[in-house]
Amino acid sequence: MIRVEALRKSFGDHEVLKGIDLDVAEREVVCVIGPSGSGKSTLLRCLNRLEEPTSGRVTVNGTVVTDPGCDLDAVRTSMGMVFQSFNLFPHKTALGNITLALTTVLRMDRAAAAARARSLLERVGLSGREDAHPAQLSGGQQQRVAIARALAMEPAVMLFDEVTSALDPELVGEVLAVMRDLAGAGTTMMVVTHEMGFAREVADRVVFMDEGIVVEQGPPSAVLGHPRQERTRAFLAQVL
């Protein structure tokens, strides 16, 4: 579903990604872990060219995203992305935040868009909050609306960029529960996270990054339980 080949990204003289090679299979859940500044979020943002790769090749669901002639609007429609900050429109209700892209991008009938949005709000545990504005919702509820908004486009892949890091600790569980359900339903997911328990429980594969390279990858039981590399062991000793 995702193929990353020799991906490099520099900001000025600072090379953040140093030749990443990575595949994600259909229905696979891959959790990317590592210290701050290791390039995890940059990698995710290069997949849909929110950041422009310096070199390398990215293919998603058969489309070469890094091709200069690539239809980025179509690519981004097929890749749902949920960010650390919720990025909801404050003047729109939960329902309005979800239906906006359905009616403007997919040209869906308003009634059909609203029906899909209500179904998704129910799926993320927010049935009855359709008319609430973001300011009336907790951080965890806002993040669940953001997940529902991404799912509304029926993407082939879901990308999650540290979606719980801005939440109060007691709200993290409700967002992880939604992501756990998505994984159980067979959604292809790439998740940048600091939640090691979630990675251990839900991931098919854990990728450890440091200083712009993939240091180690494998099943959670191997990478988190019996890491081969000293850099991985040092990181886990700090966070576990």
Side-chain angles (χ1 to χ4, degrees), residues 5-230:
E5 302 169 272
L7 183 67
R8 294 180 177 272
K9 173 62 183 177
S10 296
F11 295 97
D13 294 332
H14 179 49
E15 190 173 39
V16 177
L17 299 178
K18 303 173 182 177
I20 300 290
D21 293 300
L22 187 67
D23 288 345
V24 179
E26 186 174 3
R27 301 172 70 88
E28 187 178 21
V29 177
V30 173
C31 284
V32 184
I33 65 171
S36 297
S38 58
K40 307 182 303 295
S41 294
T42 300
L43 170 61
L44 221 59
R45 293 171 67 86
C46 282
L47 297 183
N48 57 11
R49 281 176 56 191
L50 287 175
E51 296 289 356
E52 198 66 38
T54 303
S55 64
R57 180 182 174 99
V58 175
T59 306
V60 178
N61 199 21
T63 299
V64 182
V65 176
T66 44
D67 189 318
C70 173
D71 183 347
L72 279 181
D73 289 338
V75 166
R76 289 169 180 162
T77 298
S78 72
M79 300 176 72
M81 187 160 185
V82 186
F83 301 87
Q84 177 178 338
S85 54
F86 320 126
N87 292 344
L88 298 178
F89 292 106
H91 62 289
K92 289 190 172 293
T93 63
L95 195 76
N97 267 281
I98 298 170
T99 59
L100 181 62
L102 295 177
T103 55
T104 59
V105 177
L106 299 187
R107 304 293 181 187
M108 187 180 285
D109 171 83
R110 287 186 179 278
R116 182 182 293 186
R118 287 192 176 91
S119 174
L120 286 166
L121 284 170
E122 182 177 1
R123 183 176 180 182
V124 300
L126 289 174
S127 182
R129 303 308 309 270
E130 294 88 349
D131 295 327
H133 285 79
Q136 299 170 300
L137 299 171
S138 71
Q141 290 172 329
Q142 290 183 62
Q143 194 61 288
R144 284 186 280 155
V145 172
I147 293 172
R149 179 178 59 182
L151 290 171
M153 305 299 281
E154 299 184 336
V157 175
M158 285 289 289
L159 308 176
F160 295 89
D161 188 9
E162 301 197 23
V163 296
T164 60
S165 60
L167 299 177
D168 292 334
E170 67 269 21
L171 302 178
V172 168
E174 64 190 54
V175 174
L176 293 181
V178 172
M179 295 170 65
R180 202 173 282 115
D181 288 344
L182 293 177
T187 307
T188 305
M189 295 165 56
M190 194 163 171
V191 183
V192 170
T193 185
H194 290 297
E195 300 290 340
M196 298 300 140
F198 175 82
R200 187 186 300 275
E201 176 188 352
V202 175
D204 297 300
R205 183 156 42 105
V206 172
V207 174
F208 173 66
M209 288 182 63
D210 191 21
E211 296 183 357
I213 65 170
V214 173
V215 175
E216 184 168 354
Q217 61 178 303
S221 59
V223 176
L224 300 179
H226 305 282
R228 299 188 308 273
Q229 302 298 323
E230 177 56 37

